[in-house]
């Protein structure tokens, strides 16, 4: 065993305490009242990077939440890895469903419970601790050159990191990126994610009368924006889950027969997925596609919330003047956000009922991505994981989105290695999010091994 791995094992309890400290900072990027906390999380990370011996540590402030940058570029002749993770988290609500409070990290059994435990602070800290283990043991050097770039607004679309990457490709020059923000297909199954869905996140607003109206005096003659909104929403997708927006699915790339075969040979129990991970009475979705295809290779359309009108405890007889809904679509290769948004907006206008007007607004968007597995960095990652997990790596896609992966490919022209240690039942974005603690520690060792394996031999 090498010095870095020995160091990681000796310091395992402290590593977990450090993660807990970061988890106590409620860095919820979407809520303005937490802006100071997002800032504090960035500072915490920058301080840690300085402490472990990274150089040029900088909290980059601009519009939006800060980026944290650092590098260590003394491995002459060796490749450079750009390490990415995000330190912002989703809002913790509904609060009353948490067994212990979301920002008081608590160990129960082998799990650490907190908002952001695995998405993505726990995984960010696997990188920090891998770097520390290499920089504070043995010859105190990294086997490859490292740049880190951590983001505080991934959960709200990552607009500013996209701008930074496109404007400063020189500052991010690297041979490949390590993205620590994905999950394993199943416990004990080392996994690399090689495809993500993109998305467009929109707000749809329906307006009727110039003001709220008495539903007795005007009911029967006045347009109701909520009913119209429901009619529009029902027009977007049929009961079999097929998206009805004309042309929307035209650019969907069919997975190859080989990919489908590999996906369907993964250990997947549909009934267990429905019952244990989802807990819903039935799975739904497009006819003619398997669950895995629906998750990884088909677009979606979902409603996240509907706002407006009277929502208080009692009763109020009103016909509201407007109704609004948050609606997003996940995109798959080779769909494009701008085109998808145009098709959606045009169709919404076309199916808008009489008596109301409708408008659509794009809140954020990100490209889908699919990565080739045929590069030395993916091979280094599979060797690294074999050492830690003693098993061959499986390649999966994920239904989730990490917009920066597309930006790295487009502007830096580098492949990404998406090596993540979440588990399917970690409850990301949900109450009682957790990180399986053994995965935190094996994640650290896997990152150490990846850096070692990606160094040029001889
Ligand atoms: N880490 C997730 C994405 C993810 C989830 C990847 C599961 C692989 C497996 C990320 O933090 C996330 O939640 N992304 C958002 C992005 C969006 C707001 C642009 C998502 O997918 O909803
Ligand atoms: Mn994430
Ligand atoms: Mn997330």
């Amino acid at each position: 065993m090498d010095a870095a791995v020995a160091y990681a094992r000796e310091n395992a309890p402290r590593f977990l305490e450090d993660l807990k400290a970061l988890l106590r900072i409620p860095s919820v990027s979407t809520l303005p009242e937490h802006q100071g906390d997002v800032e504090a999380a960035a500072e915490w990370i920058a301080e840690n990077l300085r402490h472990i011996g990274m150089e040029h540590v900088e909290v980059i402030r601009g519009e939006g939440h800060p980026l944290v940058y650092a590098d260590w570029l003394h491995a002459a002749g060796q490749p450079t890895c750009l390490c990415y993770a995000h330190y912002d988290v989703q809002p913790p609500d509904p609060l009353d469903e948490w067994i212990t409070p979301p920002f008081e990290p608590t160990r129960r059994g082998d799990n650490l419970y907190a908002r952001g435990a695995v998405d993505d602070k726990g995984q960010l800290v696997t990188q920090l601790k891998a770097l520390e283990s290499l920089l504070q043991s043995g010859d105190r050097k990294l086997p490859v050159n490292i740049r880190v770039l951590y983001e505080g607004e991934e959960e709200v679309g990552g607009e500013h990191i996209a701008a930074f990457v496109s404007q400063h490709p020189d500052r991010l020059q690297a041979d490949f990126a390590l993205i620590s923000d994905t999950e394993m297909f199943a416990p004990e199954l080392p996994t690399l994610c090689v495809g993500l869905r993109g998305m467009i996140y929109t707000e749809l607003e329906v307006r009727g009368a110039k003001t709220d109206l008495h539903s007795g005096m005007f009911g029967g003659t006045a347009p109701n924006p909520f009913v119209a909104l429901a009619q529009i929403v029902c027009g977007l997708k049929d009961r079999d889950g097929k998206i009805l927006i004309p042309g929307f699915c035209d650019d969907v790339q069919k997975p190859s027969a080989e990919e489908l075969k590999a996906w369907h040979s993964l250990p997947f129990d549909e009934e267990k997925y429905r019952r244990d991970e989802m807990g819903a009475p039935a799975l739904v979705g497009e006819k003619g596609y398997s669950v895995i295809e629906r998750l990884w290779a088909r677009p979606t359309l979902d409603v996240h919330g509907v706002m407006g009108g009277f929502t208080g405890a009692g009763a109020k007889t009103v016909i509201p003047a407007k109704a609004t809904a948050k609606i997003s679509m996940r995109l798959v290769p080779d769909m494009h956000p701008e085109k998808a948004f145009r098709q959606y907006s045009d169709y919404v206008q076309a199916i808008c009922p009489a008596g109301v007007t409708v408008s659509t607004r794009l809140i954020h968007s990100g490209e889908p991505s699919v990565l080739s597995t045929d590069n030395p960095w993916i091979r280094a990652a599979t060797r690294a994981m074999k050492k830690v997990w003693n098993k061959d790596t499986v390649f999966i896609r994920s239904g989730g989105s990490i917009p920066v992966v597309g930006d790295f490919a487009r502007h830096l022209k580098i492949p990404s290695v998406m090596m993540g240690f979440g588990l399917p039942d970690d409850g990301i974005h949900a109450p009682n999010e957790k990180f399986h603690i053994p995965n935190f520690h094996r994640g650290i060792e896997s990152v150490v091994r990846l850096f070692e394996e990606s160094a040029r031999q001889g």
Side-chain angles (χ1 to χ4, degrees), residues 13 19 28 81 94 115 127 154 179 206 343 375 383:
L19 169 56
V28 183
C81 174
R115 169 57 84 234
Q127 294 185 357
E154 193 276 343
I179 313 278
V206 179
Q343 291 170 326
N375 67 59
R383 290 196 301 277

Side-chain angles (χ1 to χ4, degrees), residues 86 90 119 154-155 181 428-429:
H86 63 92
Q90 289 272 328
D119 185 16
E154 193 276 343
E155 300 289 8
D181 192 24
I428 66 173
H429 297 198

Side-chain angles (χ1 to χ4, degrees), residues 86 119 154-155 157 181-183 199 330 364 398 400-403 428-429:
H86 63 92
D119 185 16
E154 193 276 343
E155 300 289 8
D181 192 24
T182 55
E183 51 181 25
M199 75 144 71
R330 299 266 170 185
H364 63 69
S398 165
S401 308
I402 309 174
I428 66 173
H429 297 198

Side-chain angles (χ1 to χ4, degrees), residues 93-333:
D93 57 279
L95 283 175
D96 56 356
E97 286 187 28
W98 285 80
I99 295 168
T100 49
F103 298 109
E104 290 174 26
T106 307
R107 183 180 186 141
R108 285 195 293 284
D110 264 349
N111 294 313
L112 183 66
Y113 290 85
R115 169 57 84 234
V118 72
D119 185 16
D120 186 34
K121 288 172 174 170
Q123 305 216 60
L124 185 153
V125 174
T126 63
Q127 294 185 357
L128 295 179
K129 296 308 174 189
L131 293 169
E132 175 182 335
S133 299
L134 287 159
L135 285 168
Q136 299 295 324
S137 71
D139 60 5
R140 298 178 170 253
K141 287 191 177 116
L142 301 178
V144 290
N145 300 295
I146 296 288
R147 299 178 195 272
V148 306
L149 186 65
Y150 295 142
E151 171 188 16
E153 49 186 38
E154 193 276 343
E155 300 289 8
V156 290
E159 189 190 332
H160 296 101
I161 198 173
F164 185 84
V165 171
S166 74
Q167 286 158 21
H168 302 284
D170 46 311
R171 290 187 63 182
L172 300 173
Q173 180 282 319
D175 295 280
F176 71 103
L178 167 64
I179 313 278
S180 299
D181 192 24
T182 55
E183 51 181 25
M184 309 201 324
F185 190 75
E188 307 295 321
L189 197 58
T191 302
L192 291 176
C193 178
V194 296
L196 294 166
R197 287 195 285 203
M199 75 144 71
I200 54 175
Y201 197 109
T202 79
E203 201 169 275
L204 184 146
E205 188 179 275
V206 179
R207 285 181 170 273
K210 66 178 181 192
T211 181
D212 287 6
L213 302 171
H214 187 290
S215 70
M217 287 177 67
F218 292 94
T221 59
N224 186 310
F226 272 95
V227 174
L229 187 142
Q231 289 165 337
I232 292 170
V233 168
C234 290
L236 293 171
K237 205 158 87 170
D238 73 13
R239 292 213 165 201
D240 290 331
K242 185 171 173 312
I243 295 173
L244 298 174
I245 301 168
F248 196 74
C249 298
D250 285 1
D251 296 335
V252 172
Q253 182 195 99
K254 283 198 176 58
S256 68
E258 210 181 8
E259 276 173 301
L260 285 174
K261 190 166 159 241
W263 296 353
H264 293 138
S265 67
L266 290 165
F268 182 69
D269 179 340
E270 200 170 305
E271 179 53 17
K272 190 169 168 291
Y273 170 76
R274 181 198 67 77
R275 189 189 55 227
D276 300 346
E277 282 166 39
M278 186 182 300
L283 299 181
V284 302
E286 257 182 309
K287 290 247 148 57
Y289 299 94
S290 68
V291 170
I292 291 195
E293 272 179 283
R294 285 178 352 242
L295 288 170
W296 296 353
R298 297 296 302 170
T300 63
L301 186 150
D302 275 294
V303 179
H304 305 289
V306 178
M307 297 90 67
F310 180 69
T311 56
K316 178 184 179 190
T317 47
V318 65
I319 297 175
K322 69 168 193 175
T324 309
K326 305 270 188 194
I327 300 177
S328 85
M329 284 139 271
R330 299 266 170 185
L331 312 179
V332 297

